[in-house]
Amino acid sequence: MQYEKIEQDINYTFNNKELLKTALTHTSYAHTHGVESNEKLEYLGDSILEFISSKYLYQNYTKLNEGEMTKLRATVVCEESLHQVAIKLNLGKYLITSRAESYGNVKNKAILADGVEAIIAAIYLDSDIQTAEKFIIDNLKDAIEIASKNVGIKDYKTVLQEKLQIHGNVKIEYNIIAEKGPDHNKYFVAEVKCDGISLATRKRKKQKSSRNGSRKRSTRRNAKIEEEKE
């Protein structure tokens, strides 16, 4: 593999090219070729990303309280946001996957997002936390600034409850109905129900984002139903 192009795209030159190669190697390829995958780097990168983003919010958004910072971080440190970073860095061109994926043109959102986390960890191990921090902030500060404009807006759980209870009390349940994947990289399927009727399900890597995704989908569905009634 020629590393110069991806190093240009991510704006970092690796001293240890093997770290970069591992960061780009998806489990689907690693398992069939007997090489190390990027799973452990992804695990480390996830922790580094959460720490650096928390530090950045603490230092630069001093007027936000703890709850607001937590919501802002969750908005930015998520699969969708990391997927956008991967697209910007052309990461799909370089990820090494099985034949199930189109080599050199990976489009799977989860694989791309995981790849970004693996790159973060690889940069940290190849250099230091300051360099990893620069990579993270350079790629996420615009998304953080945009997301900060929505701090204080009601979350989907609140909006959904208000809509469902507009005509009286109802029983609303949020449940995790399935868990998939290894312990360090689990996927959760969340479901929201109203009076025993399933309104929506959503799959996400973390329980909180999974539940919020199902609330969001249900809120949109409920709004559409109300529009049709009018």
Side-chain angles (χ1 to χ4, degrees):
M1 175 184 287
Q2 297 295 317
Y3 297 109
E4 292 81 2
K5 180 57 179 173
I6 183 173
E7 289 177 330
Q8 289 176 8
D9 285 342
I10 67 176
N11 195 30
Y12 178 78
T13 301
F14 277 82
N15 298 301
N16 182 354
K17 306 299 184 186
E18 286 301 309
L19 269 174
L20 175 57
K21 182 178 179 180
T22 301
L24 297 172
T25 304
H26 186 251
T27 53
S28 60
Y29 181 92
H31 289 166
T32 56
H33 291 77
V35 296
E36 185 178 359
S37 77
N38 62 4
E39 277 189 325
K40 290 198 293 185
L41 286 175
E42 176 202 333
Y43 162 79
L44 178 59
D46 179 68
S47 298
I48 295 170
L49 176 58
E50 186 160 326
F51 164 65
I52 293 300
S53 59
S54 298
K55 175 186 173 185
Y56 183 79
L57 294 178
Y58 180 84
Q59 293 178 333
N60 294 277
Y61 292 83
T62 56
K63 293 183 179 180
L64 299 183
N65 61 38
E66 181 269 342
E68 291 170 334
M69 285 192 292
T70 298
K71 288 182 180 180
L72 178 53
R73 184 184 62 195
T75 300
V76 178
V77 182
C78 65
E79 183 180 286
E80 180 60 38
S81 182
L82 295 179
H83 175 234
Q84 294 304 316
V85 172
I87 291 174
K88 182 176 72 172
L89 300 178
N90 297 312
L91 198 59
K93 292 167 54 178
Y94 309 110
L95 286 169
I96 307 168
T97 64
S98 68
R99 293 180 181 178
E101 284 283 341
S102 178
Y103 180 74
N105 190 29
V106 177
K107 296 180 179 179
N108 183 284
K109 186 179 293 187
I111 293 176
L112 289 169
D114 292 346
V116 173
E117 292 180 331
I119 289 290
I120 289 170
I123 291 174
Y124 164 68
L125 293 173
D126 192 64
S127 55
D128 50 43
I129 193 66
Q130 289 78 19
T131 307
E133 179 174 8
K134 182 179 185 303
F135 174 83
I136 292 169
I137 301 308
D138 285 350
N139 285 288
L140 285 179
K141 66 180 180 180
D142 289 344
I144 291 173
E145 179 61 23
I146 292 171
S148 71
K149 306 299 183 184
N150 296 320
V151 172
I153 295 177
K154 294 179 180 177
D155 61 30
Y156 285 106
K157 180 179 180 180
T158 302
V159 174
L160 177 61
Q161 289 181 174
E162 289 178 351
K163 285 182 174 293
L164 292 176
Q165 294 175 343
I166 192 168
H167 299 301
N169 290 330
V170 293
K171 183 180 180 182
I172 305 171
E173 300 174 78
Y174 307 100
N175 300 304
I176 299 297
I177 59 175
E179 296 182 15
K180 299 179 180 181
D183 288 341
H184 69 277
N185 189 30
K186 277 190 179 297
Y187 284 84
F188 297 88
V189 180
E191 178 185 49
V192 56
K193 299 170 73 174
C194 178
D195 286 340
I197 299 174
S198 178
L199 298 181
T201 59
R202 184 81 174 198
K203 182 178 78 173
R204 277 291 184 266
K205 288 185 65 177
K206 295 183 179 180
Q207 291 192 49
K208 287 185 178 179
S209 61
S210 180
R211 288 194 181 103
N212 203 46
S214 63
R215 293 164 191 156
K216 179 178 180 180
R217 183 177 297 175
S218 181
T219 300
R220 288 176 174 170
R221 185 181 299 171
N222 191 62
K224 183 178 180 180
I225 292 173
E226 289 183 358
E227 288 174 2
E228 291 173 348
K229 287 180 178 178
E230 293 177 354

